[in-house]
Amino acid sequence: MQSSPGMLTKFESKSSRAKGIAFHPKRPWILVSLHSSTIQLWDYRMGTLIDRFEEHDGPVRGIDFHKTQPLFVSGGDDYKIKVWSYQTRRCLFTLNGHLDYIRTVFFHDELPWILSASDDQTIRIWNWQNRSLICTMTGHNHYAMCAQFHPKEDLVVSASLDQSVRVWDISGLRKKHSAPTSMSFDEQMGRGNQNQTDMFGNTDAVVKFVLEGHDRGVNWVAFHPTMPLIVSAGDDRLVKLWRMSETKAWEVDTCRGHFQNAEGCLFHPHQDLILSAGEDKTIRVWDLNKRTAVQSFKRESDRFWVIAAHPEINLFAAGHDNGVMVFKLERERPASAIHQNQLFYVTKEKTVKAYDFQKNVESPTLLSLKKLGSPWVTPRTLSYNPAERSVLVASPVDGGSYELLSLPKDGSGAIEPTESKRGSGTSAIFVARNRFAVLNSNTQVIDIKDLSNNITRSFKPPAGTTDIYFGGTGNLLIITPTAVHLYDIQQKKTTAELAVTGVKYVIWSNDGLYAAFLSKHNVTIVTKTLEQVSSLHETIRIKSATWDDAGVLLYSTLNHVKYTLLNGDNGIVRTLDQTVYLVRVKGRNVYCLDRSAKPRILQIDPTEYRFKLALVKRNYEEMLHIIQNSSLVGQSIISYLQKKGYPEVALQFVQDPTTRFDLAIECGNIDVAVEMAKELERPKFWSRLGAEALAHGNHQIVEMSYQKLKQFDKLSFLYLTTGDHSKLARMGKIAEHRGDFTSRFQNALYLGEVEDRIQMFKEIDLYPLAYMTAKSHGLEEECEAILEATGLTEDQITLPTLGKPLTPAQPVVPTFKSNWPTKAGSQSFFEKALLGQVEGLSLEDNTATNLLDDAMDVDESSKRNGLIEDDEEDATGWDMGDDDVPEVESDFVNVDSSEAGGAGSSEADLWARNSPLAADHIAGGSFETAMLLLNRQVGAVNFAPLKPRFLEVFQASRSFLPASTGLPPLVNYIRRTLDETDPRQVLPLIPRDLEHLASNDLQKGYDSMKANKLEDGIGYFKGILHAILINAVANEDEVSEAKKLITSASEYVVAMSIELARRQLGGPDALAKDPEKLRRSLELGAYFTIPKIEVPHRQLALLNAMQFAVKNKNYNSALSFANRIIANGGASKIVENAKKTKAQCERNPNDSIDIEFDQFAEFEICAASHTPIYSGTSFEECSFDGSKYHSKFRGTVCRVCEVCEIGKHGSGLKLFA
Amino acid sequence: MDPYSAEGELINIHNHFLQGQFQEVVDFDTSSFSADNALPVRVLQLRARIALGQAQEVLGEVKGAKEPELEAIGALAELSLGKTDSAVSTIEKLVVSASDNVTVEILGGTVLQAAGKTDDALALLSQHSGSLDAVALIIQIYLYQNRTDLALKEVSAARRWAQDSLLVNLAESWVGLRVGGEKYQQAFYVYEELAQAPSTSSIYSLVSQAVCELHLGRTEESQAALEEALKKDPSYAEAIANLLVLKAVTGQDTSELTATLAKAAPKHDFLTTLEEKSDLFDKAAAKYKAKVSA
């Protein structure tokens, strides 16, 4: 049972002869149909038999998985085709029809078809959905041994013992069966007729080619997945390769080598190889292009009957006399080496490439290794020497060979190695800057060689050495099947030895202190002196590993990335959908090479292992950081913490009261336990709490628990021990109340209350005891009374000897008042920090935080009192002395809670406090502060024009609710914050909000502009300015809207005032008399066109100016106005007019009167003097409406808003708090 | 015992009074009432007549009467005629002689509060023993004082022993309009129910409903209610005042209505405060002037 070197057996099963094999396309499953009539389903990765299906009678030869559905099909010597569900583990149905053994069955990749080949010489296609036979292909005149669908085209290839291979065209069948489902009657008739012809003419499947060349029967045939090639294997011991075109097919070549019947053959799914298996007990691999044998594997005693390839991954299976074997042709692990931020690796094309971790880029090909050994064998290891920038590549070819090559500086030059030194050896690694070690496992010699490939020393390693690895400076790790030796090269002796079996790979940690030994199923972590640190076992095969910078080993199995700490704690980091080889971990990235030797980056969440690592290292800051920054919850981490003895840490993660309680008890955190017990309120928890508290000496909690549990006796005893007499007395009362005499007696005893005891005895008619008690305490009167009550005399009683009366000890210390120092709770640093965090503290210096907190408090409280005003920020929180704080606080308390009468502040007063907006102050009637605000914000000085707005806002602030007759109505305050009830948040309604202004006042302004009622218009626009000045908006967006409205209104006011000024110069008559006035009039007309008013309105201004200019023969100016009108477009009448004027003016583009109006210059109009302010000259503006003035007007009232002082800068208008 | 409680036979007439249906109170058929209730009914009717503006006649009617209730009515009549001082002195006398009389308490409280003697009014009213009227007055006085917190306490206390009394509902609405938020809507429901049922509708409830709507920002509905109220009595000061507020809120011209209000109630709070604020404005504005006069 040994396979040839080179072939990697992954799985073997033992059974009777395997006749059919099928790989599951996704899962690690293989179906094996046996000569014994059984069908087995194996998990070849785990090596377990999943299921057996035994319904066939006699050998089962054909088997296939469906590509997507949970189905498989089998065909047996019972002539039956069975379709199975592996989910329900049942045979779904049987297709009957074949008249002899069935050799192969295959599903179609897309269509619901099954193809079967049978000894009845037919090949049939079945529809497994409607379970019908849809096509029978006849033509072979001997057993049909194999028939397969083409993976892409509508072709079928079949092999028969009639020595022929046939290719069938089934496109007719597909057409017929992929027709629309709804058919007319005619079509159905046609379809019926077609079927008729099927019976005789068979147009659905026609023979396309008949390939003849085999001298004996053909056992197997297969299409190439992509190329138009066919491979067949026959009893003539030959494997033949055929090629076909659209019109013909021919034999290409023959692969000779099998010395017995060739039973199966196939194309390698990814490489240019052919695999074949035969009764000569060999599997042979052939080069598809050269048709030469590449490899051959021989089994000792089992003839091969069938061979199959996995459709996706590089895996094959062959069935033989005693079972099946799953194998790989080659190692898929790409050889690689890491130096700093570079990964050097060998690609599938046998070239060396580098990959930069930081830049995440692959280099171009650095070196080609094509000439190293066979083209089909990739090197096993790569060792990199940074000093020389050379690589040492070891390959298993020819019993092992190595090659020492230098890498070029970059990949741009020649990739063929310039000079190479080679030699034979199974392993070759660098051990020093100028030395490398070569192991020859056959001769069991290790040579240390220099870079010229000369042996400098040579020694015999321990027996059975299979591999060598770098072992730290001057050392080698020598791997034998049962142990690892640390070998000192200088001393030529083993310095340490560790018994670890089957080590395959050694991975050193980044700091070189630890190494991980990977075996098939084990990871062993050792120190650099080969002391074992930890070891773990995996049921799934371990593929690779790499160290995290922090000393965590990440390793990959076939389907997971896992981690292990040095102490052996391990866990899963993520799952893998395909096998990868880890090379490095950096932060959340895991770098790896996949099976096609492409670098890949996997995202991982390192939180869990970092947390565990921090826990192990007791790095509490790190843990705290992790807890704060990631969502680390879940049962696993909790149980981990608990298991590892960190209940106090686990406590921080748990919400569930029961678990919290358990953890709290475990770590002795009584406070939390009490809290949870209260929440849970169940006797079980209280009794546990009581027991734990007692152990702590925390008798107050014990008392609480006993109370909750109603354990009166225990409680009494507790009071006795803590010397709490008053409570003991109360216990006595309770006992009396409960009618529990024993308890009452006990309490009385504890208290030393003789009378009570006697009284009790009397109550329960135990006079003798009462008497004795009285007697022993010398209470003679009581004795008399008892005697009297019982009608006895003293001499009638015989008393036993009475001892001394019991006097309970008096407590020396009032223990009950407080707990003794209790057992210290295991409050770790971590927990303290965490508690700190809960209280809003961080790990920063405590004093600083406290100060900060105080300051915050001041800030908070003063805010609540509404003391902060926007423009008094410098007076808040931070500056306030400590003395102020109590005052502020008490003031606050006073307002809210004093029961005594005294008026509160009205809501109007609150508004002023709640808001930094002038409008809100006005609504609250606080005009002085409002004016102060406006003065500071926009430099308002002349308030008279604002009076109507002030009163309007104020008027709109209060409603009058008639209440009790005879009394004035209740004044209520109208809010804009309708949903708000917190008096510190309410704000007044401000009439004429932005929307109202835009839709009403602005419109009126526009209308007056259009109607040429400029006096009214100015009034409206000024009104808008005033209304915005005293207003409030809802958000920042509205603030910018308001700003736009201000600018617009301001421009209109300027424009209108220019035109009004022009009109004031007098009518045409007056102008005619005074050329100066005429000139000024023309200028003003021109300036009227400057302010940025709406285009239609600007057109009016331009028209006005144009006509006026034309009238006064200023054609040049008129022309410029006309051009602007035309450019603006719009109302056709005006534009027409302008065009006419333009034509007229162009004839004589001169101005008869020289005016100060440069149509090409950039300028603004001074709102006071109505003269241009050219850009570059200094000017002043109104900080509210933005109107511009010559500097000389600084300090006067703005002509536009009539409120603000020109040039006075404020903090800016506030409309939104 | 409060004669106006739900079990008493005076409940309907009392409710009319509370709803501001004063004419109905005056016209109420009192023949069926028991003799014990004769005086409370008379007091109620006299109060209604004062509210209807017949203070002079009422004063004449109660002159010389010895009952403290009627003396208190006299004081109320004097108050409404503007003779505050004599009203207060009458009450102060009554407080000494009959402070445990519920009518004296209520009317006295009203007079004292109206005269600005809030503390005295509260002291007098606090002597009440289970009179909702007194509680309502206390609540109202607290609201005058802007002590919404105390008013709320009173309301919830009253709720506990006089659950669904109209007066408690009203008082809760008064407070609700101060608290705001959802309470606006609740107050609105109370007044709307009164104003929209013909049997309980009055100018008083209409105006109250309008005020709620105003606070809820439903200006159109509010205006409709106020105009309906003004149809009933064009000179009802609260209706005019609130309409004025409404016009201000909606950005309309208020000058005409201000004149109307000045005619109807020259001393209305709206006008006096406005006057006051106008002066305040002038005074405050005078502090500012431009650096350079133009």
Side-chain angles (χ1 to χ4, degrees), chain A residues 34 533 643 1090 1127 1212:
Chain A
L34 302 176
V533 177
K643 199 172 72 195
I1090 298 299

Side-chain angles (χ1 to χ4, degrees), chain A residues 624-686:
Chain A
L624 194 60
H625 178 80
I626 293 171
I627 291 166
Q628 282 167 337
N629 291 297
S630 23
S631 50
L632 189 74
V633 282
Q635 204 53 50
S636 70
I637 197 91
I638 292 162
S639 57
Y640 176 83
L641 287 167
Q642 209 172 349
K643 199 172 72 195
K644 293 287 165 184
Y646 304 99
E648 77 276 14
V649 181
L651 195 55
Q652 311 305 324
F653 299 98
V654 187
Q655 302 292 328
D656 173 51
T658 316
T659 321
R660 257 182 94 80
F661 180 83
D662 290 344
L663 290 170
I665 290 289
E666 198 168 321
C667 62
N669 191 334
I670 293 293
D671 292 346
V672 175
V674 169
E675 203 179 301
M676 290 305 114
K678 279 180 183 163
E679 201 170 312
L680 291 158
E681 202 59 70
R682 257 178 284 160
K684 195 177 83 188
F685 295 104
W686 283 114

Side-chain angles (χ1 to χ4, degrees), chain A residues 760-885:
Chain A
M760 195 196 79
F761 285 140
K762 284 201 279 190
E763 274 173 39
I764 51 174
D765 285 341
L766 287 174
Y767 286 96
L769 284 175
Y771 181 80
M772 278 213 306
T773 313
K775 191 81 184 167
S776 66
H777 285 83
L779 299 170
E780 288 305 329
E781 271 177 44
E782 192 63 51
C783 294
E784 298 289 327
I786 294 167
L787 285 176
E788 204 170 312
T790 48
L792 290 173
T793 53
E794 200 171 348
D795 31 316
Q796 283 176 295
I797 303 162
T798 33
L799 283 174
T801 330
L802 293 170
K804 263 192 261 173
L806 175 74
T807 39
Q810 290 301 308
V812 185
V813 181
T815 313
F816 62 92
K817 281 185 181 159
S818 65
N819 279 329
W820 285 83
T822 51
K823 180 176 141 192
S826 55
Q827 209 179 42
S828 62
F829 163 85
F830 172 75
E831 193 178 9
K832 278 180 208 150
L834 211 72
L835 286 174
Q837 174 210 354
V838 170
E839 283 157 22
L841 294 169
S842 63
L843 287 172
E844 287 160 38
D845 184 14
N846 262 343
T847 45
T849 10
N850 284 338
L851 281 178
L852 192 77
D853 266 11
D854 286 352
M856 299 284 277
D857 282 346
V858 174
D859 205 9
E860 256 318 286
S861 60
S862 45
K863 227 177 225 165
R864 269 182 273 141
N865 282 294
L867 287 180
I868 298 179
E869 281 183 13
D870 180 56
D871 43 3
E872 290 175 357
E873 265 168 7
D874 54 346
T876 60
W878 299 96
D879 270 357
M880 264 189 207
D882 275 2
D883 300 345
D884 292 350
V885 179

Side-chain angles (χ1 to χ4, degrees), chain A residues 777-1013:
Chain A
H777 285 83
L779 299 170
E780 288 305 329
E781 271 177 44
E782 192 63 51
C783 294
E784 298 289 327
I786 294 167
L787 285 176
E788 204 170 312
T790 48
L792 290 173
T793 53
E794 200 171 348
D795 31 316
Q796 283 176 295
I797 303 162
T798 33
L799 283 174
T801 330
L802 293 170
K804 263 192 261 173
L806 175 74
T807 39
Q810 290 301 308
V812 185
V813 181
T815 313
F816 62 92
K817 281 185 181 159
S818 65
N819 279 329
W820 285 83
T822 51
K823 180 176 141 192
S826 55
Q827 209 179 42
S828 62
F829 163 85
F830 172 75
E831 193 178 9
K832 278 180 208 150
L834 211 72
L835 286 174
Q837 174 210 354
V838 170
E839 283 157 22
L841 294 169
S842 63
L843 287 172
E844 287 160 38
D845 184 14
N846 262 343
T847 45
T849 10
N850 284 338
L851 281 178
L852 192 77
D853 266 11
D854 286 352
M856 299 284 277
D857 282 346
V858 174
D859 205 9
E860 256 318 286
S861 60
S862 45
K863 227 177 225 165
R864 269 182 273 141
N865 282 294
L867 287 180
I868 298 179
E869 281 183 13
D870 180 56
D871 43 3
E872 290 175 357
E873 265 168 7
D874 54 346
T876 60
W878 299 96
D879 270 357
M880 264 189 207
D882 275 2
D883 300 345
D884 292 350
V885 179
E887 205 177 77
V888 171
E889 282 295 338
S890 59
D891 183 32
F892 176 56
V893 169
N894 231 341
V895 170
D896 233 19
S897 62
S898 88
E899 276 290 336
S905 36
S906 82
E907 188 168 327
D909 298 338
L910 293 175
W911 288 343
R913 289 192 198 173
N914 291 349
S915 170
L917 308 186
D920 294 337
H921 285 243
I922 294 164
S926 180
F927 289 1
E928 297 96 327
T929 53
M931 287 181 186
L932 191 70
L933 283 174
L934 288 174
N935 183 266
R936 288 195 194 165
Q937 288 174 2
V938 293
V941 287
N942 183 31
F943 285 98
L946 290 178
K947 189 169 178 182
R949 178 63 179 164
F950 266 62
L951 294 180
E952 178 186 23
V953 170
F954 177 70
Q955 280 177 24
S957 68
R958 307 174 314 147
S959 72
F960 302 93
L961 180 72
S964 302
T965 16
L967 282 178
L970 277 169
V971 172
N972 287 309
Y973 300 90
I974 307 173
R975 301 171 186 166
R976 67 169 181 271
T977 48
L978 287 185
D979 300 328
E980 193 56 70
T981 54
D982 182 352
R984 278 166 258 151
Q985 304 286 337
V986 293
L987 290 169
L989 177 133
I990 304 297
R992 286 206 283 158
D993 58 7
L994 208 56
E995 198 192 328
H996 181 97
L997 288 172
S999 55
N1000 293 302
D1001 302 56
L1002 186 64
Q1003 227 46 51
K1004 282 184 199 158
Y1006 286 166
D1007 290 348
S1008 352
M1009 176 76 195
K1010 248 183 269 170
N1012 201 8
K1013 289 179 183 159

